[in-house]
Amino acid sequence: MNSTALRNGRIFAVMLLLAAPLAMCSAAGARIDMHLVPGLGRVCHEAPRGESATAVDGSLFAVCRDASGRPVVARVTLDGAVRRIALAGLDARARRWFRARDLTWASDGALWFHDGGGEVVRISSGLDAKAFRLSSVARTSGLIAGRGGALWLTASSATGAQAPRAIVHLSATGAERRIAISRGSGAILPEAIADADGRGAWFREGVGRVGHVTVDGRHTTSAVSRDGRPVAVESDGTIAWLTFAPGQEVVRLGADGAEVSHTAVVPHAVSRPLPPGPGRGLDWSLCLLAASELCQLDLGQATLNTFDMAQPGAYLNADPLRGPGGALWTRDSKGHLLRVRADGQTLSYPLHPRHGNTINLLAASGAVLWMLEVNQHNRPHELTRVTTLPMRQLRRR
């Protein structure tokens, strides 16, 4: 099933240069409001580096560098208030090279992220930032939220495949527990961790093995018939394990790591599931197939529909974000903002940055999508907030 809405639907130009917000509607009911938000440049001398995130209330958290070159966090609320959050406690190396990764919301409303090299930062719900340096750690990855505001991550003391590795549990106060995991033949640092409601963490532990750890330090490992990685913990407690291509499958693992069932996915590679919907884990009903295709996968029926998101000759050049209205939002190589609804219908809005500038999609939530126009010197130019509107609110303001 191919979606033809992009080619058949009406296309509207959304001018980012407008001084006032503009609400627009397509024949298919694509109602969006685009609003310029000034002030980010007062905090960010350079465009945000690494990832950004949106809070439950829709506010933006972006890690960037100030005029002195120090890493800071800019928080922008829906009403346009911009606040600078200093990252106290970073060592000299981190201050110079810090690039935020894996922004993760904790169960207590705090925001965790790291730099991939042993520096972990927590911003509390009260906007107090604190950095934790993991000793004797050269590499970190795979942040997931645990119970009580805690965090799970993987760590290695070196960058080689055979370096000693551990799963680390950090409490909300920074108390650390390390659980060593075996290196094994061909073992690599486990990049993917799935969360079991905060009780423990699942991860790939070497070739064809799944590992599980708990907060109290228990560690078990089980063999899996096909190598892959854990991608989600389902509501019934089973683990979805995606095997590597070719001939990908989703293997369901029980709470003890034993294989429960196998479901064929697609004859060619699914690169990854798309971002989660509200209150859910990774969304396996939608996954990314190729440079311009989405797949809609029904694991129960093992059926697959595909949707071509881009115009002829174009490809996607931004990872899809789950944004306003529950839709997926992305950008193609021809400068269009794309909105993909749950039924696969794609609606396109041409973007018009100033000459030489580019537009980056920063972060999104169920309420808002944040976009940033960046100039040739990688400095923030204009921040735009995109929301969807009910019909009664549709008007130029």
Side-chain angles (χ1 to χ4, degrees), residues 47-393:
R49 304 176 65 183
E51 298 182 13
S52 301
T54 52
V56 174
D57 63 2
S59 57
L60 172 70
F61 286 74
V63 184
C64 60
R65 291 187 179 274
D66 63 15
S68 300
R70 294 168 298 195
V72 296
V73 175
R75 176 181 181 257
V76 186
T77 62
L78 290 180
D79 60 6
V82 181
R83 175 170 174 173
R84 178 185 185 276
I85 303 174
L87 299 182
L90 295 178
D91 61 23
R93 183 202 62 82
R95 287 195 299 271
R96 181 177 181 183
W97 301 108
F98 194 92
R99 182 183 178 92
R101 304 182 185 186
D102 299 330
L103 276 71
T104 301
W105 292 104
S107 57
D108 62 353
L111 178 64
W112 289 95
F113 54 90
H114 70 123
D115 68 346
E119 201 81 35
V120 183
V121 176
R122 174 183 164 91
I123 300 178
S124 71
S125 56
L127 304 184
D128 295 320
K130 186 173 183 180
F132 303 98
R133 176 66 194 174
L134 303 181
S135 61
S136 303
V137 168
R139 185 181 176 191
T140 52
S141 66
L143 272 61
I144 58 171
R147 286 186 175 179
L151 181 76
W152 291 96
L153 70 154
T154 62
S156 173
S157 59
T159 56
Q162 295 298 318
R165 298 166 298 124
I167 301 295
V168 179
H169 181 267
L170 281 179
S171 73
T173 60
E176 176 186 335
R177 173 186 285 272
R178 296 193 192 188
I179 305 166
I181 55 179
S182 60
R183 302 179 214 188
S185 175
I188 63 171
L189 182 75
E191 299 291 350
I193 302 179
D195 181 25
D197 193 27
R199 296 187 299 268
W202 294 88
F203 56 96
R204 177 178 182 262
E205 188 172 1
V207 176
R209 301 193 69 81
V210 59
H212 182 248
V213 294
T214 61
V215 176
D216 59 9
R218 287 178 293 170
H219 173 211
T220 58
T221 181
S222 305
V224 184
S225 59
R226 290 195 56 189
D227 196 18
R229 69 184 190 275
V231 291
V233 175
E234 306 296 341
S235 57
D236 61 0
T238 59
I239 296 89
W241 174 273
L242 177 67
T243 65
F244 297 139
Q248 285 183 292
E249 296 179 315
V250 171
V251 180
R252 302 284 181 177
L253 305 177
D256 58 356
E259 297 181 25
V260 176
S261 64
H262 290 238
T263 303
V265 182
V266 286
H268 51 297
V270 174
S271 61
R272 60 186 180 278
L274 288 178
R280 291 165 35 190
L282 292 174
D283 187 358
W284 278 101
S285 66
L286 287 171
C287 46
L288 196 62
L289 276 178
S292 64
E293 285 187 315
L294 284 173
C295 58
Q296 190 174 48
L297 178 65
D298 185 333
L299 289 177
Q301 301 297 321
T303 57
L304 179 75
N305 297 321
T306 62
F307 306 99
D308 190 356
M309 296 177 62
Q311 292 180 317
Y315 56 88
L316 303 185
N317 60 359
D319 285 342
L321 300 173
R322 180 78 64 180
L328 292 170
W329 298 76
T330 186
R331 179 172 53 90
D332 71 14
S333 59
K334 292 189 174 181
H336 297 90
L337 176 65
L338 304 179
R339 178 189 179 196
V340 188
R341 302 193 321 192
D343 60 2
Q345 186 181 41
T346 302
L347 299 151
S348 175
Y349 305 88
L351 303 174
H352 297 275
R354 286 179 170 84
H355 178 70
N357 290 1
T358 58
I359 294 177
N360 298 331
L361 305 188
L362 294 182
S365 68
V368 64
L369 167 71
W370 293 95
M371 302 189 305
L372 179 65
E373 185 175 342
V374 179
N375 68 17
Q376 301 96 312
H377 304 289
N378 197 38
R379 293 182 180 175
H381 180 66
E382 287 180 338
L383 181 66
T384 302
R385 186 190 70 223
V386 181
T387 57
T388 54
L389 294 172
M391 184 64 77
R392 65 180 179 274
Q393 294 181 3

